[in-house]
């Protein structure tokens, strides 16, 4: 069976795989702090279709703006 454009061809009971960086280092989009892998405490934000990762310090300092869903250039 063919699916229409934009439709997920997987069965509904199969959850989509999270798109995580594969083997590459992750860098905080705010301060540039590098990390070998994405730490579970870092924040991920999708802005204009692109993933942005923020370290613990940057996420804590801008928590209200993140929760208010402001794009990172605003904060």
């Amino acid at each position: 069976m063919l699916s229409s454009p934009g439709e997920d061809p997987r069965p509904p009971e199969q959850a989509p795989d999270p798109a995580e960086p594969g083997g590459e280092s992750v860098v905080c989009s705010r301060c540039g702090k590098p990390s070998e892998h994405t730490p579970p405490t870092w924040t991920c934000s999708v802005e204009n279709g692109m993933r942005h990762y923020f370290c613990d310090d940057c996420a804590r300092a801008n928590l209200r703006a993140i929760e208010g869903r402001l794009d990172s250039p605003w904060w």
Side-chain angles (χ1 to χ4, degrees), residues 5-68:
E7 184 179 319
D8 193 347
R10 293 177 287 196
E13 62 274 357
Q14 182 181 356
D17 298 325
E20 290 191 20
E24 60 193 41
S25 65
V26 178
V27 178
C28 176
S29 295
R30 187 97 177 133
C31 70
K33 178 180 176 181
S35 176
E36 186 72 25
H37 299 284
T38 308
T41 56
W42 279 32
T43 301
C44 177
S45 174
V46 178
E47 300 171 10
N48 298 322
M50 294 181 57
R51 286 183 181 259
H52 298 275
Y53 292 93
F54 300 101
C55 68
D56 298 331
D57 297 330
C58 291
R60 284 188 191 116
N62 298 289
L63 183 61
R64 291 182 64 118
I66 293 170
E67 288 180 344

